[in-house]
Amino acid sequence: VNNIPALTAMMADIGLPVINNYVLKAQDEANELLRELHLPLMVRALHPNQTNTRQIVERLDDFEDAINLAKTQSVTQEVIISRAINGLKEVSIEILRDVRGNKMQIGASEDMDPIGIHTADSLSVSPILTIQDQLIGRMRDYAFRIADMLQLKGVMHVQFAVDDDTHTIY
């Protein structure tokens, strides 16, 4: 079963820079969390009963409606809230890990449009053109660490969000 909060926690435990996910059931829990987080936020259903339940909340006035809608889209009436990453650059790294744990990067690409642009309207290029080699190396290392954590045997595609201004990777 797809468990985003558990995967995020596992990645944080091995020191990877992740965006925290918060799983909630009640509006008052969401309101309490809102005091700690900054807009924009992404709200989506946990265990969704349909595809594409993501909503970006940019105004406080829209927060409660987003929570209620996501709850109706969830089989368990649970909602995931996290920081929205729209506007950051999306970079994909493809790696291969064999049964002995040997790893190699087999591909990489970057979207020329910021995160938040629909995939059908986006342009992706390979090789990566606008990201420093040092950042690409960090993303490759993170992808290798994820493959080891999962004890992967085969090909893995990892997507990263990169803040061009601060060089922060998620």
Side-chain angles (χ1 to χ4, degrees):
V1 173
N2 191 358
N3 190 330
I4 294 168
L7 180 61
T8 301
M10 288 172 62
M11 290 190 299
D13 287 347
I14 63 168
L16 298 179
V18 297
I19 296 172
N20 290 323
N21 296 289
Y22 303 92
V23 177
L24 311 163
K25 275 194 151 200
Q27 184 68 49
D28 55 337
E29 290 177 296
N31 292 342
E32 188 66 32
L33 181 63
L34 187 58
R35 294 174 195 182
E36 299 172 27
L37 300 178
H38 301 286
L39 296 176
L41 296 173
M42 183 170 55
V43 176
R44 58 191 161 159
L46 181 65
H47 308 297
N49 56 21
Q50 64 188 51
T51 59
N52 196 10
T53 66
R54 295 178 183 181
Q55 303 169 76
I56 303 299
V57 175
E58 296 179 352
R59 298 179 21 201
L60 288 175
D61 295 345
D62 300 330
F63 186 67
E64 189 170 334
D65 290 340
I67 297 294
N68 289 333
L69 179 59
K71 282 175 62 175
T72 66
Q73 296 170 331
S74 169
V75 173
T76 59
Q77 302 287 301
E78 293 175 293
V79 175
I80 301 175
I81 299 175
S82 62
R83 175 183 165 217
I85 56 172
N86 286 13
L88 299 184
K89 182 169 291 230
E90 183 176 338
V91 177
S92 298
I93 303 286
E94 292 79 28
I95 66 159
L96 176 65
R97 183 179 184 272
D98 70 13
V99 69
R100 293 187 182 128
N102 298 307
K103 298 169 289 291
M104 66 183 270
Q105 179 178 331
I106 57 174
S109 64
E110 67 176 309
D111 283 5
M112 299 314 293
D113 302 300
I115 294 173
I117 302 297
H118 188 277
T119 302
D121 299 326
S122 183
L123 174 66
S124 184
V125 298
S126 181
I128 295 172
L129 300 173
T130 68
I131 304 285
Q132 297 173 357
D133 288 344
Q134 179 185 13
L135 291 178
I136 295 169
R138 283 180 33 212
M139 286 183 272
R140 181 176 44 249
D141 176 61
Y142 295 155
F144 287 170
R145 288 164 59 186
I146 293 168
D148 286 341
M149 174 189 76
L150 297 174
Q151 298 181 0
L152 175 80
K153 294 170 193 80
V155 176
M156 182 175 73
H157 174 102
V158 182
Q159 292 176 298
F160 296 94
V162 179
D163 186 324
D164 272 337
D165 296 331
T166 64
H167 303 292
T168 303
I169 300 170
Y170 300 101

